[in-house]
Amino acid sequence: MSRLALFWQHIKTISWKELLITFNSPVDRRILLFPVLIQGFLFGYSATFNLDSAPYALLDMSQSVASADLAAHIEAASSLQLVRVLPNASGIADAIDSGDAMLVVVIPSDFADKLSRGEKSPIQTIADGRNTMTAGLALGYVNRIVADYNRERNGTSVELLTRTWYNPTQNTRWNFLPGLIGMISFTQVIMLAGLSVARERELGTFDQLLVTPLSPTEILIGKALPPTLIGLFQSTALLLIARFWFDIPFAGSLPLFYLTLLIFVLSSTGIGLTISAIADNMQQVLVYVFVLLLPLALLSGIVTPIRNMPEALQILTYADPLRFAVESIRRIYLEGAGFTDIAPNFLPMLAVAAVTLPLAGWLFRHKIT
């Protein structure tokens, strides 16, 4: 048998052993499946969001005194933050797709003329439906500003026309459930990968594993594959719940969706295996995992928008693979984003995998030598 074939046979053998250990117990099987289903339905029905400041872009095609007055009213609102002034309508899609602006306020070219004739003069707001609750709150802010503007100008009739991209009904679960696909698989993968070596030590089979003709690299890869496969399975279960139970339309590409998940799960497995190599027993693994999970979840942007965090925390989120997985999955699922749109998010996740997997291998070899 060639060296490559033998290497692959060793990896299959240890991966199969890990899967048998994981699924041998009925309790373990229930733990792997039921929390995914329960959390999927629970968060799908109960998730909400809040917003302190909404970034917006302005497109003033009127360039009149009246439009400048309205723009000044909007800019003066503490609940809104002007991030872009667009020269023309072609910049609207980029402002929203890039995430720089939560909504775009468009003042039409005939705005001042209609006001001077006493007619209703509509302005348009285009909101980013990938953040449903925050988009709804932002539109509410603009509504109040327009109402105040009308009162100050003695009944001037400015009519607000709203449009929400990617989520026309502004349904909160459309935003939350795609992000939950990444979060729950992240939790399970880190836990499974983290317990793999520690469980061997507690069961007394670790020494037996070391006398087999398996190299540390083969053992590491063999232990990384089962959590990866289980993470992909759980993500698929949540995808089916979101798509067929909650009827959230999937706008993107399934191959790109699974490529994103695979890269994300690899980075999660690297974190879990690093924890497993550091910990001496399963209790330590559980402590390390729970200490890490809450900060990583909070920094991912699934609970609150990253743009609302202090600048120091925004920088810290670049070390969190869950942030980029949540953003990528949401964009693929709701927006139908393509590879070129998502590719920049692959780099931080691959960087985490490139650091943690070799680190886990080094720690693993260091522990057994």
Side-chain angles (χ1 to χ4, degrees):
M1 183 180 294
S2 68
R3 178 173 296 183
L4 181 60
L6 183 62
F7 178 79
W8 177 239
Q9 183 62 40
H10 286 171
I11 290 176
K12 286 197 298 183
T13 301
I14 192 170
S15 297
W16 183 246
K17 178 186 76 70
E18 289 293 315
L19 288 172
L20 288 177
I21 292 174
T22 302
F23 288 102
N24 188 47
S25 169
V27 175
D28 290 342
R29 291 196 297 269
R30 288 194 292 268
I31 289 175
L32 290 175
L33 180 61
F34 290 145
V36 174
L37 299 178
I38 292 171
Q39 292 178 68
F41 288 112
L42 179 63
F43 283 109
Y45 284 114
S46 64
T48 59
F49 292 89
N50 292 315
L51 178 67
D52 296 323
S53 179
Y56 75 98
L58 175 67
L59 173 58
D60 183 2
M61 295 188 292
S62 175
Q63 297 295 321
S64 60
V65 174
S67 65
D69 187 23
L70 176 59
H73 275 73
I74 298 174
E75 188 174 355
S78 60
S79 54
L80 297 173
Q81 178 186 4
L82 179 64
V83 294
R84 285 197 194 182
V85 176
L86 305 178
N88 51 59
S90 62
I92 295 175
D94 179 67
I96 290 182
D97 291 346
S98 65
D100 291 343
M102 188 176 295
L103 71 160
V104 177
V105 179
V106 181
I107 303 177
S109 56
D110 59 354
F111 176 78
D113 294 337
K114 287 189 175 181
L115 286 183
S116 64
R117 295 195 298 267
E119 301 175 5
K120 283 187 176 182
S121 183
I123 65 170
Q124 185 181 41
T125 56
I126 301 171
D128 183 357
R130 294 169 299 185
N131 294 285
T132 49
M133 180 61 73
T134 52
L137 290 173
L139 291 174
Y141 297 156
V142 178
N143 268 303
R144 289 197 296 271
I145 293 168
V146 170
D148 291 340
Y149 178 81
N150 284 332
R151 284 194 298 270
E152 289 180 13
R153 293 178 62 91
N154 299 321
T156 295
S157 187
V158 176
E159 183 182 14
L160 186 65
L161 304 177
T162 64
R163 180 183 176 189
T164 304
W165 284 5
Y166 312 126
N167 189 352
T169 61
Q170 298 182 21
N171 191 325
T172 299
R173 64 173 59 100
W174 279 38
N175 173 49
F176 199 81
L177 279 178
L180 193 66
I181 293 173
M183 189 180 74
I184 290 184
S185 63
F186 183 67
T187 304
Q188 296 281 346
V189 167
I190 286 185
M191 184 73 70
L192 289 171
L195 292 173
S196 59
V197 176
R199 181 176 55 234
E200 295 273 4
R201 291 194 180 103
E202 290 203 2
L203 293 176
T205 58
F206 190 67
D207 292 337
Q208 298 175 17
L209 185 64
L210 298 183
V211 299
T212 62
L214 298 172
S215 68
T217 301
E218 291 170 341
I219 294 173
L220 183 69
I221 296 175
K223 287 186 171 295
L225 281 178
T228 300
L229 295 174
I230 292 171
L232 292 174
F233 167 76
Q234 292 177 331
S235 298
T236 299
L238 288 168
L239 172 64
L240 294 175
I241 290 173
R243 176 64 188 89
F244 296 106
W245 181 268
F246 290 106
D247 292 324
I248 303 175
F250 184 84
S253 163
L254 277 176
L256 181 59
F257 176 82
Y258 278 103
L259 175 62
T260 303
L261 283 178
L262 178 61
I263 295 173
F264 169 58
V265 169
L266 281 177
S267 63
S268 305
T269 302
I271 295 174
L273 287 174
T274 301
I275 293 173
S276 188
I278 294 173
D280 293 324
N281 52 60
M282 296 174 68
Q283 287 76 18
Q284 287 185 10
V285 170
L286 293 175
V287 171
Y288 293 151
V289 168
F290 283 115
V291 166
L292 278 176
L293 279 179
L294 183 57
L296 292 177
L298 291 175
L299 291 173
S300 70
I302 194 171
V303 179
T304 58
I306 292 174
R307 62 170 64 94
N308 282 5
M309 299 179 187
E311 185 176 355
L313 290 183
Q314 292 186 37
I315 295 173
L316 190 59
T317 61
Y318 284 94
D320 184 0
L322 184 56
R323 169 199 168 165
F324 300 98
V326 168
E327 180 181 342
S328 299
I329 291 171
R330 280 176 174 167
R331 294 196 65 185
I332 294 169
Y333 198 114
L334 297 176
E335 180 186 334
F339 179 82
T340 54
D341 302 313
I342 300 302
N345 288 337
F346 291 165
L347 298 178
M349 292 189 287
L350 289 172
V352 171
V355 171
T356 56
L357 287 172
L359 176 61
W362 182 86
L363 290 170
F364 188 65
R365 287 192 297 271
H366 182 71
K367 282 265 187 176
I368 66 177
T369 55

